[in-house]
Amino acid sequence: MTASGDSDHVCGMSLAIDAVGGKWKLHLMWVLVEGPVRFGEIRRKLDGVSEKVLSENLRQMETSGIVHRELYPEIPPRVEYSLTALGKELSVALEPLERWGDKNRTELFGRNC
């Protein structure tokens, strides 16, 4: 989507979809909203995601400024992921979407998640 047909101006919806698009990014948001989390813990909470896909998604979200990666100078190295201020703002914006899904889950899928 572009504004006024000008490819230099991308509309806000496209930017938001790019930020959380894909199978795992929204799920990652809900894991990270709880606070700093280590990679292994994220993997345990997101059943079915591969290490490669999880790493790629975290890297993309870090590049877009949604996720902060903290590397602690310890042996062995410890890395924690958390939401940035931008990521926290995005998680608040996603709350109505979650409420809508909860409210309409039966109509949408006829089952619980």
Side-chain angles (χ1 to χ4, degrees):
M1 287 180 152
T2 57
S4 306
D6 185 347
S7 61
D8 291 337
H9 296 94
V10 179
C11 77
M13 181 63 75
S14 291
L15 291 171
I17 289 170
D18 286 347
V20 295
K23 182 176 180 179
W24 295 106
K25 287 181 183 173
L26 287 174
H27 297 287
L28 271 166
M29 292 289 300
W30 296 128
V31 170
L32 295 173
V33 79
E34 298 171 2
V37 187
R38 295 178 72 172
F39 186 88
E41 186 177 349
I42 296 170
R43 214 149 155 238
R44 282 188 294 278
K45 290 183 177 190
L46 295 180
D47 188 37
V49 66
S50 70
E51 282 189 31
K52 179 184 178 201
V53 169
L54 180 55
S55 293
E56 288 171 357
N57 278 265
L58 285 167
R59 196 173 308 112
Q60 290 167 1
M61 294 171 79
E62 183 182 3
T63 299
S64 61
I66 294 169
V67 169
H68 172 72
R69 180 180 184 269
E70 183 74 32
L71 175 62
Y72 293 91
E74 301 171 354
I75 306 275
R78 176 171 54 109
V79 178
E80 290 182 340
Y81 297 89
S82 60
L83 293 178
T84 62
L86 184 63
K88 290 175 185 175
E89 183 180 357
L90 178 58
S91 72
V92 170
L94 293 171
E95 288 172 4
L97 184 61
E98 179 185 26
R99 285 193 301 273
W100 181 86
D102 285 341
K103 177 183 171 202
N104 296 292
R105 90 176 59 216
T106 302
E107 292 84 359
L108 292 168
F109 299 108
R111 61 177 167 81
N112 290 329
C113 297

